[in-house]
Amino acid sequence: MRLILLGPTGAGKGKQSGRLKQKFDIPQLSTGDMLRAAVAAKTPVGLKAKAVMDAGALVSDDIVIGIVADRIDEPDAKNGFILDGFPRTVAQAEALQQMLQSKHMELSAVIELKVDEQALLDRIQSRVDETLKSGGTVRADDNPDAFKTRLEAYRIQTAPVSHYYAEKGTLKTVDGMAPIDEVSHAIDQLLLAH
Ligand code: AMP
């Protein structure tokens, strides 16, 4: 099973990837996690990526493609993987296609978790309001402004990746606003067809 999960921050990609990882016993390959590990280890890639990541921008395609190419060659990815956070640009999607072709591999499915941006923003705002009302402190990543910026970045930079897979006919869409169990069920149903 080789899967790609697409969707903006807050869509529940991480939760669903974690579940699919258990279910199919395949690794979850998160480029964000791999880059953060490279930054922490101060590798040459990490040193290059740090400033870009701190600014919330995208790391260059060359770097990210290189990381993924190495990672999918590891033994644990032989029987499949879930890509989480990659591809984020059409160039990355094209590079992935070439990588897989050269290994005679195919993607099983590309699943997009569709969300309503305004509903997500309302959700995070009411969580902030409730926390403040009960005298708590708000987590840095629960800040609606930062969240909005990330949603916008996704819409501008990554939405073309959905079109790329839609044109190829491999894109499946799931309502990411539904309760978690329903999203899980919808994904399972889609994968049964494979
Ligand atoms: P994430 O944890 O997926 O939100 O990723 C954290 C940061 O890592 C992003 O803001 C980017 O700077 C970088 N990053 C992760 N994946 C990619 C990717 N596929 N292409 C470019 N940059 C990425």
Side-chain angles (χ1 to χ4, degrees):
M1 188 67 76
R2 293 180 197 93
L3 300 173
I4 293 180
L5 281 192
L6 296 177
T9 184
K13 244 179 328 137
K15 269 203 184 82
Q16 294 298 335
S17 309
R19 187 184 66 84
L20 292 164
K21 169 185 158 158
Q22 302 286 335
K23 181 171 166 133
F24 294 108
D25 193 21
I26 49 179
Q28 172 186 1
L29 311 186
S30 153
T31 41
D33 285 350
M34 292 185 240
L35 286 165
R36 278 184 288 274
V39 169
K42 296 195 166 73
T43 65
V45 161
L47 293 174
K48 267 197 219 159
K50 187 177 185 313
V52 180
M53 289 174 74
D54 285 349
L58 288 187
V59 173
S60 80
D61 287 335
D62 286 356
I63 290 184
V64 182
I65 291 165
I67 289 181
V68 172
D70 288 347
R71 185 62 186 87
I72 64 176
D73 267 346
E74 303 230 350
D76 67 336
K78 227 176 135 167
N79 293 323
F81 47 77
I82 304 156
L83 284 167
D84 168 5
F86 179 94
R88 259 178 159 95
T89 63
V90 172
Q92 292 178 15
E94 284 170 344
L96 176 66
Q97 173 84 358
Q98 280 178 6
M99 265 179 233
L100 295 177
Q101 249 166 21
S102 72
K103 296 177 202 299
H104 308 288
M105 290 176 172
E106 274 186 17
L107 286 172
S108 310
V110 179
I111 299 171
E112 180 177 30
L113 298 178
K114 273 261 187 236
V115 298
D116 176 329
E117 283 192 21
Q118 193 53 52
L120 272 190
L121 285 168
D122 290 349
R123 203 188 268 176
I124 201 151
Q125 186 65 58
S126 60
R127 213 153 67 197
V128 168
D129 292 347
E130 270 169 34
T131 309
L132 292 177
K133 215 161 73 190
S134 61
T137 44
V138 178
R139 281 180 6 210
D141 58 353
D142 264 353
N143 168 344
D145 284 338
F147 198 74
K148 203 169 173 178
T149 308
R150 279 149 72 199
L151 280 178
E152 275 164 12
Y154 178 83
R155 195 179 338 107
I156 295 164
Q157 294 164 308
T158 306
V161 175
S162 315
H163 295 295
Y164 172 87
Y165 288 116
E167 274 177 9
K168 288 192 171 295
T170 40
L171 186 72
K172 313 269 182 221
T173 303
V174 166
D175 175 13
M177 300 309 290
I180 293 177
D181 287 349
E182 281 178 31
V183 177
S184 303
H185 182 69
I187 292 177
D188 289 348
Q189 291 300 110
L190 280 180
L191 297 178
L192 271 184
H194 279 275

